[in-house]
Amino acid sequence: ETGVTQTPRHLVMGMTNKKSLKCEQHLGHNAMYWYKQSAKKPLELMFVYNFKEQTENNSVPSRFSPECPNSSHLFLHLHTLQPEDSALYLCASSQAGLSNYGYTFGSGTRLTVV
Amino acid sequence: AQKITQTQPGMFVQEKEAVTLDCTYDTSDPSYGLFWYKQPSSGEMIFLIYQGSYDQQNATEGRYSLNFQKARKSANLVISASQLGDSAMYFCAMREASRGNQFYFGTGTSLTVIP
């Protein structure tokens, strides 16, 4: 148990489908993140939420839509994805504002777009 | 420019031997933190060790130690007495105080421990 739980672990979806990824943490952290991990590339930061407010959106296409209803939950809504969006999507949480504080990651959702 | 560079895409080490995974970083911020994470095939990223830019001593956590050479901007991870369970991807990461919550990750090193 990592403290950050992601569901589902695996997802296969067609390009016309709509699905959502869920992330939940009960560590008392106030910042949550979505990262995309593709083969042979550095982790790509997608979105950052501090105290439920989105503070960063790293030029992510609009087919990815984040939602943070409270400081413990984070969603990534997916629609009309492309095959190149297939990747491991990692959620993380941390204490905002502390440079010596690391992330706690979830186990990720392995997404395949067909 | 890459913030974090890991030049070893793959490494092999004999069980019970020590191995060093390289990491160099680029920042002009005087206050920053350096982290190493382990990612087994299950996908989860596991925090291993942290080194602050103002720390005078190299960080150690059990079999993990960080060889911090500030002038050379390197933060190599040393794993002593390798075990089969150490086989995984290893990522170096940096967090700059001026950039708040954003982490920069390297491309990772795949470590295989040979029995």
Side-chain angles (χ1 to χ4, degrees):
Chain A
E1 175 57 55
T2 67
V4 177
T5 304
Q6 287 186 246
T7 54
R9 290 296 306 276
H10 301 272
L11 178 61
V12 179
M13 60 186 287
M15 289 190 282
T16 58
N17 291 159
K18 288 185 181 181
K19 296 285 185 184
S20 295
L21 310 185
K22 180 181 176 182
C23 177
E24 186 173 351
Q25 62 91 7
H26 295 289
L27 300 169
H29 291 166
N30 48 30
M32 296 186 77
Y33 314 80
W34 280 116
Y35 275 86
K36 176 183 178 183
Q37 186 178 25
S38 305
K40 309 239 191 298
K41 292 175 70 174
L43 272 73
E44 300 171 56
L45 179 64
M46 300 176 74
F47 301 105
V48 179
Y49 278 83
N50 283 320
F51 298 97
K52 302 186 299 176
E53 299 296 321
Q54 185 177 313
T55 55
E56 290 204 40
N57 174 345
N58 277 4
S59 304
V60 180
S62 60
R63 57 185 184 269
F64 294 92
S65 172
E67 179 191 0
C68 189
N70 55 60
S71 58
S72 298
H73 294 86
L74 184 65
F75 295 90
L76 188 63
H77 304 299
L78 317 170
H79 64 98
T80 58
L81 294 191
Q82 305 298 311
E84 61 264 29
D85 297 323
S86 298
L88 180 68
Y89 288 84
L90 288 162
C91 174
S93 69
S94 76
Q95 281 297 108
L98 299 178
S99 63
N100 64 342
Y101 204 92
Y103 286 173
T104 301
F105 281 90
S107 298
T109 294
R110 176 102 27 212
L111 174 67
T112 304
V113 181
V114 297
Chain B
Q2 283 272 68
K3 285 278 191 180
I4 296 285
T5 302
Q6 293 180 254
T7 57
Q8 307 154 312
M11 291 281 286
F12 292 86
V13 64
Q14 203 75 38
E15 195 178 5
K16 299 180 186 173
E17 297 287 308
V19 64
T20 298
L21 306 184
D22 295 341
C23 172
T24 57
Y25 60 93
D26 181 28
T27 182
S28 56
D29 195 323
S31 177
Y32 54 90
L34 297 158
F35 303 79
W36 277 92
Y37 285 86
K38 172 185 178 181
Q39 187 179 41
S41 56
S42 59
E44 175 192 344
M45 295 277 277
I46 302 166
F47 166 73
L48 295 178
I49 195 166
Y50 162 80
Q51 179 84 44
S53 59
Y54 295 117
D55 292 345
Q56 296 296 313
Q57 295 193 322
N58 287 343
T60 60
E61 289 286 348
R63 293 186 299 110
Y64 303 109
S65 60
L66 200 150
N67 184 359
F68 181 45
Q69 298 188 44
K70 194 169 182 177
R72 298 173 69 176
K73 293 189 175 177
S74 76
N76 299 339
L77 176 70
V78 180
I79 306 175
S80 62
S82 298
Q83 302 172 356
L84 295 178
D86 294 335
S87 294
M89 284 290 293
Y90 288 81
F91 292 92
C92 181
M94 176 175 66
R95 188 179 190 182
E96 298 167 308
S98 62
R99 293 281 300 176
N101 297 320
Q102 180 156 356
F103 271 53
Y104 300 94
F105 286 87
T107 50
T109 295
S110 175
L111 177 67
T112 302
V113 180
I114 304 166

